[in-house]
Amino acid sequence: MTWRRRLATLALVLAGLPWSIASADRGDPPPRDRSPAVIAARQKYFGAESVDPRTGQIRDDRVIFSWLTNASLAVSVLGHVVLLDTYINRLELPPPPGSSDLRRTPFNYQDLVQLRPEAIFLGHGHGDHADNAAYVAKQLDIPIYASPETCDVMQADVQRMFSDPNTANGGARIIPDGRAVRCIGVVSRGSVPGAEVVHLDALEPHVCIVAFKHIHSGSVPTDTTFPAVPVANLADSREPDLYPRGTCVTPTSNCQGSGTPTTPLPGQVNLTTSGFGSLPGSPGGPISLFYQFIVRRGPNFSFAWHNTTGPLKEGAGSDPGLPSPAVGAHLFAIMESLPRTSIELGSIVSLGFATNGVRDAILYQQHLRPLIYIPLHVTDVAVPSSSPEFKKSFLETLDTAQIAYRPELRWLVDPNDFARPMVYDPDDRRWANPDSARRIAELCDGHGRR
């Protein structure tokens, strides 16, 4: 079976700039695993009421999101499980049996394996998104969808893990072998953001996935034409008392994987991505992908996911062709042309929040026009428990900037919303949009799939 992308060009012209559409092959989903551990993990993240207690199968008439911290999500789409990013904030070893679980994040990396996902999608390769990805993919022999540059890093992660003596755990291999992980480069290496709109077949024939390269968040000078309200990036002062520090899974001085390395203790293992997602001579980490998942039935429910939100108005970033306001405008035009977005799961946080608040997130929404917005990236860069501050800035900015279009908000607040199932009926007529069928035909049909 080949995992190389097969390109099929569709001549479309939008905003004076050409698109190209590619198609990526997929393999058959892995066999169902009815083990108690798999059933328990799926019930934990998707809800016992949605998971068959005998088989572990998840309802095939629902789309269920489960927040795994930061911008990471476990998603069941019509019963097919995928991971959107694999990072877990403040990843700590479980408490001893019989003890209260006071971890701020009460789950671990093995849960990602026990969910038995069929594929991993990475929005970009920084460690607060791509940690654990190579490990999970190797354990399950599933594909990772990412930029080619991030795929390079995934292979480096495999080699590092396989070479780890793991002496704290008796010398057992962390991963079964050192062969390359299956990683599918979604867009062309070194491409300009928005140059390709790509059709991925990972969940066909049930779900069409559209992806394109956009721009990582960044700081630009204050936009004097947009009255953004500053964000107070403040943590809850009760955090140390409510969530006392435990032992990190990663043998470092903190639980983010980026602290000073320490001598490993039993149970500790390094599953972080190499170089915080970048290799020497390769940009890797910040190369960012935007995904839209479209259910191919009923009113064509869709959800968009982007784990970073860039300053598209200025077109600022480190990718080829930037800075360029024209490239940023083209990215907005692509968003406007997508089939109607039912739910946007997108980063509310930008590295530019100090100068422009949540402006960039609002601008994405004005072009996507989702019915529902669910904010992400509120445990990293944003300090833990600061989510309500970003909500305050968001609501005040909508008023100050006199924004007319306002999606329904389903705001996430850490840590209480971790692993809390968000269940949607894709057949609800609320999602219907008469213009979506044409765009779905253009973006999803007429390309060879397997």
Side-chain angles (χ1 to χ4, degrees), residues 127-147:
D128 56 341
H129 301 279
D131 280 2
N132 309 308
Y135 174 81
V136 175
K138 284 297 294 183
Q139 293 295 333
L140 298 174
D141 190 25
I142 60 173
I144 299 171
Y145 291 84
S147 71

Side-chain angles (χ1 to χ4, degrees), residues 24-232:
D25 295 332
R26 71 173 178 91
D28 294 327
R32 299 288 182 185
D33 188 328
R34 302 185 183 189
S35 71
V38 171
I39 294 170
R42 290 184 166 190
Q43 289 180 332
K44 178 177 181 177
Y45 292 94
F46 298 125
E49 67 280 3
S50 295
V51 179
D52 189 315
R54 300 163 301 165
T55 67
Q57 288 197 263
I58 306 165
R59 288 188 63 161
D60 62 4
D61 62 346
R62 293 291 185 268
V63 175
I64 308 174
F65 305 101
S66 192
W67 188 29
L68 304 177
T69 80
N70 205 34
S72 302
L73 297 156
V75 185
S76 174
V77 188
L78 308 182
H80 295 266
V81 179
V82 298
L83 296 178
L84 309 181
D85 283 354
T86 50
Y87 166 77
I88 299 174
N89 174 275
R90 196 165 152 179
L91 183 57
E92 297 172 333
L93 294 178
S99 302
S100 298
D101 191 347
L102 299 179
R103 290 176 297 169
R104 192 177 198 278
T105 306
F107 42 89
N108 62 42
Y109 64 92
Q110 290 293 0
D111 293 356
L112 304 183
V113 176
Q114 298 297 353
L115 281 169
R116 290 296 188 269
E118 297 177 22
I120 294 168
F121 296 84
L122 295 179
H124 65 280
H126 281 151
D128 56 341
H129 301 279
D131 280 2
N132 309 308
Y135 174 81
V136 175
K138 284 297 294 183
Q139 293 295 333
L140 298 174
D141 190 25
I142 60 173
I144 299 171
Y145 291 84
S147 71
E149 293 86 348
T150 293
C151 285
D152 293 344
V153 182
M154 293 294 103
Q155 310 309 350
D157 293 347
V158 168
Q159 293 306 311
R160 192 204 72 238
M161 286 187 290
F162 188 64
S163 300
D164 189 333
N166 200 22
T167 53
N169 300 296
R173 291 287 189 184
I174 296 173
I175 54 176
D177 57 68
R179 292 192 297 272
V181 72
R182 290 189 284 162
C183 193
I184 299 165
V186 171
V187 294
S188 298
R189 185 181 296 271
S191 59
V192 174
E196 300 165 304
V197 176
V198 179
H199 172 206
L200 305 175
D201 289 349
L203 295 179
E204 290 288 7
H206 308 291
V207 181
C208 168
I209 305 172
V210 175
F212 59 90
K213 184 177 178 181
H214 67 129
I215 299 174
H216 188 274
S217 78
S219 181
V220 295
T222 299
D223 181 354
T224 58
T225 69
F226 191 98
V229 175
V231 179

Side-chain angles (χ1 to χ4, degrees), residues 245-414:
R245 289 283 176 179
T247 302
C248 306
V249 168
T250 305
T252 61
S253 58
N254 62 31
C255 292
Q256 309 302 107
S258 57
T260 304
T262 59
T263 302
L265 300 172
Q268 289 187 312
V269 62
N270 183 6
L271 307 181
T272 60
T273 195
S274 302
F276 198 64
S278 296
L279 299 174
S282 172
I287 296 177
S288 303
L289 301 174
F290 182 111
Y291 297 88
Q292 187 185 47
F293 293 70
I294 306 159
V295 175
R296 285 179 170 275
R297 75 180 198 198
N300 299 124
F301 171 90
S302 72
F303 63 91
W305 173 67
H306 54 99
N307 68 2
T308 188
T309 301
L312 269 59
K313 184 174 182 179
E314 295 79 10
S318 59
D319 297 286
L322 300 181
S324 170
V327 170
H330 178 53
L331 290 168
F332 280 144
I334 293 174
M335 293 179 192
E336 290 174 359
S337 74
L338 293 172
R340 178 62 183 267
T341 298
S342 307
I343 300 176
E344 176 194 3
L345 301 111
S347 176
I348 188 65
V349 179
S350 164
L351 290 173
F353 75 82
T355 55
N356 287 305
V358 297
R359 178 204 69 163
D360 294 337
I362 290 174
L363 291 180
Y364 271 57
Q365 290 168 17
Q366 295 308 296
H367 294 281
L368 273 176
R369 300 180 76 82
L371 296 177
I372 295 172
Y373 174 64
I374 300 174
L376 300 176
H377 217 306
V378 290
T379 61
D380 290 76
V381 180
V383 297
S385 72
S386 66
S387 177
E389 295 286 356
F390 281 84
K391 181 180 181 181
K392 177 175 180 284
S393 173
F394 177 85
L395 293 174
E396 291 181 342
T397 299
L398 290 179
D399 291 338
T400 304
Q402 298 182 324
I403 300 296
Y405 184 79
R406 304 186 181 199
E408 177 184 332
L409 299 183
R410 303 286 175 88
W411 209 270
L412 298 177
V413 178
D414 55 311

